[in-house]
Structures are given as structure tokens and as C-alpha cells.
Amino acid sequence: MNTFSKRHTLRSRKLAACAASAIVALGLVLAGCGSQGSGSPSNGVAGSNSATGKPLDAAAYDALISAGSVADSATVDANTWASAVKKAGVLKVGGTKTSALFSLQSTDDNKLRGFDAGLSQLLARYIIGDAKTDVSVVDSSTREAVLQNGTVNAVFATYSITDERKQKIDFAGPYYVSRQGILVKSTNDDIKSVKDLDGKKVGVQAGSTGPQIVKDAAPNATVQEFQDDSQLVQAIKQGRIDAYVVDQSLVLGDVAKEPKALKVVGDGFGSEDPYGIGLPKGSDATAFVNAWLKKIEDDGTWAKLWKLTIGDRTGVTEVPTPPAVGK
């Protein structure tokens, strides 16, 4: 996936190394740690599942969303995109409902909660005064289309910022940075790092940058494309593929859902992967959403949401510093 801006590369590497040190057992590299921690990430092989599976504190999450700031009328009225959202009374979002850490629909009350879901709900509250979102499920092959045809106002779906995608849509952010991770069946001892992918059947998401990433890292691997994350996880469990390569954030979410069936192996690899909020091409949405992102980062809301949805559930105690917005 696309390399982050050169002027932030050194900073991002330092931050990613810090996060990896904090979550050795998981092998997850998160962006933006504080001043402590150094060294290269460690393998998330044996015991990688032990720190996952903690349920989300739904009450604390809901309270955080309800306390989100609301923009004054002048701020909203000055922006065409935001004004249209406010007039509709709902933020139409392209997202997911099965990502354990980023956007998962509760079986208890059917509400979506997670890091991406929370950001979309906080943005809706900021514009409308009510955290009301209408979520259309998207995957790697449909995210641009729903923005282009007006089905949604924004896409929150661990959406990597790439030059190719920026030809079709606009991005706000980035709001998070990841790298590539490797997911295998918990009983698989043949794959311990990216070098072991050669000669193996490796699954990726259709429409993603996964095929090229695997080709670059393991040119002798057989790449198989699947439509979404759930199909790939099922293929691993059934033995139809040997490994699944995708953003580390998604890998960790899959393990959090099924810690006995799946595990993460090896270090994070490939380019640093900045996540952005997908927006309609040529609209005035980007400036508005970037200003809001900076606001929730400055007032601590971003950090509180990260801690509730990711940190508390993965045993990561040090809250990362978010990446610079608009870079």
C-alpha cells in the first residue's frame, strides 16, 4: 500500500517501532507511540492470542459518543457538504459491521461500535447534533463506487490512502497508520514470517493492494482473491489457503474474535499504511472533516476512543499519538 509522505517517514517508523514493543505478543505495529520504547517488532507467533478477546465496554463507549462536541451553525452552514448532511439529518456511511475492533454490530442491541464506527458517529454528532449514521456495508471493491454514485457521504472502513484511489475520491486524514500482517490457522507451524509465504496459497481481499504486496514480498506464492474478510477467515479455517495477508489492524481484529482458531505470525511488513476517511471527489468535505479530526485529537477524544476500542481490548497501555492530519 501507498508509502506515507516522506517528511513523516522517520517519525512514523519511530512511532511504529514503539507500538510494536508494547504489543510483542500480537505482532501489531500501531502508529504514533509516545517517547518510550524502541527496537524492531517481535514475532507474534506463540501466545499471540492470549491478550485478545476482551469485550468492549459498551456503556463507556456510548457515553463518549454522547459527549462528543457539536459544531455551531455557522461552521456547518459555511460548508456545502456538511450542510447537506445536516439537512438530511443523518450521516450516510460506507463501513463494515464485522470488524471486531473497528466496526462490529452488537448482537445485544444491534448497535455498531469500534474505532471507525466511533469516528463516524462522532462526526455525525458534530454536524447534526445527534450521532445518527446510516451504514451501507462496503468492501475493498465497492468503497469508491458508493462515494461516486452518492450512496454515502463518507467511508470509514480502514481505508488506505493511495494515489490511485485519490484519482477517484478525496480523503480526509490520515487518522491511523498500520502495516501488513499475516494471519494463519492456530495449528499452522509452517509459516512464521513473510519469507515463509513463498510456495504457499495466500489469500487477499479483492480490489485491495494485497495482490501486489504479496507479489513483492513472496513472488512464488499463489495469490487467491476473496471478496471480504469473513470469506478469507473461513478459507483459512477450512485449509483452502495457508495464510491471509491484510492490514495488521484487521488481522488483530480477526484474532480477537476467534483466538483459539487463528493466530498472527511474523513482524509487520511492507509500507506504512495510512488510513483515511473517504469523501466525494471535488467536494468541500475534506477541509471540514480534517478540521474536525484535528479538534478531536487536540481535545483528547481520539485518544479516549482508541483506548476503549483498541488499547483496552489488546492489552496496549500506551495511547499512541495520531498521525498528522492533512499530510
Side-chain angles (χ1 to χ4, degrees):
M1 296 193 182
N2 205 34
T3 304
F4 213 5
S5 174
K6 289 182 179 178
R7 50 190 162 180
H8 294 283
T9 298
L10 183 58
R11 173 179 178 270
S12 297
R13 287 174 179 169
K14 178 181 178 182
L15 299 176
C18 171
S21 177
I23 47 177
V24 167
L26 296 171
L28 174 69
V29 179
L30 294 173
C33 262
S35 59
Q36 295 181 348
S38 61
S40 60
S42 298
N43 284 352
V45 187
S48 64
N49 306 331
S50 61
T52 64
K54 180 180 178 180
L56 175 68
D57 186 338
Y61 175 95
D62 293 346
L64 178 64
I65 303 302
S66 297
S69 61
V70 179
D72 58 68
S73 296
T75 299
V76 175
D77 292 345
N79 186 268
T80 302
W81 176 86
S83 296
V85 172
K86 186 173 183 178
K87 183 177 180 181
V90 61
L91 179 65
K92 294 182 292 182
V93 175
T96 64
K97 297 184 178 181
T98 58
S99 177
L101 302 180
F102 281 77
S103 185
L104 182 65
Q105 188 168 36
S106 170
T107 56
D108 295 327
D109 57 16
N110 291 323
K111 290 184 178 180
L112 281 175
R113 297 183 179 90
F115 192 64
D116 277 353
L119 287 174
S120 69
Q121 291 154 8
L122 286 166
L123 179 58
R125 175 170 171 78
Y126 185 67
I127 298 171
I128 304 165
D130 181 11
K132 187 176 181 182
T133 61
D134 180 11
V135 178
S136 298
V137 174
V138 296
D139 58 39
S140 298
S141 64
T142 61
R143 291 178 295 199
E144 287 88 45
V146 294
L147 285 167
Q148 291 173 321
N149 63 26
T151 300
V152 303
N153 306 118
V155 171
F156 291 77
T158 57
Y159 200 3
S160 302
I161 300 172
T162 70
D163 288 337
E164 181 180 359
R165 288 169 180 163
K166 286 193 288 186
Q167 299 300 312
K168 301 175 183 178
I169 64 159
D170 290 339
F171 281 102
Y175 64 89
Y176 187 94
V177 175
S178 181
R179 293 184 75 196
Q180 296 300 297
I182 304 169
L183 187 72
V184 299
K185 198 171 183 178
S186 59
T187 55
N188 185 329
D189 294 323
D190 294 332
I191 299 174
K192 295 180 173 62
S193 70
V194 65
K195 67 180 181 180
D196 298 321
L197 295 179
D198 265 329
K200 301 295 195 299
K201 291 180 288 186
V202 181
V204 298
Q205 288 193 21
S208 74
T209 54
Q212 187 61 49
I213 288 169
V214 174
K215 181 181 178 181
D216 292 342
N220 294 319
T222 300
V223 177
Q224 296 185 23
E225 296 188 27
F226 293 78
Q227 198 62 32
D228 57 36
D229 182 79
S230 61
Q231 292 180 8
L232 279 146
V233 168
Q234 196 64 21
I236 286 180
K237 291 163 63 178
Q238 293 173 349
R240 291 185 285 131
I241 58 175
D242 301 304
Y244 170 23
V245 169
V246 73
D247 289 349
Q248 288 177 315
S249 56
L250 299 184
V251 164
L252 180 56
D254 288 330
V255 174
K257 286 187 289 186
E258 301 192 66
K260 293 183 179 179
L262 306 167
K263 67 182 179 183
V264 180
V265 296
D267 298 340
F269 69 96
S271 301
E272 289 158 345
D273 182 17
Y275 292 172
I277 299 166
L279 297 167
K281 185 72 175 175
S283 75
D284 60 356
T286 299
F288 183 92
V289 177
N290 275 344
W292 163 77
L293 268 176
K294 290 175 183 177
K295 178 178 176 61
I296 65 169
E297 290 175 2
D298 291 343
D299 68 16
T301 303
W302 185 98
K304 291 175 183 176
L305 180 64
W306 182 91
K307 186 174 185 299
L308 277 169
T309 57
I310 299 176
D312 288 350
R313 303 182 64 201
T314 58
V316 183
T317 58
E318 189 171 355
V319 178
T321 300
V325 173
K327 303 297 183 181

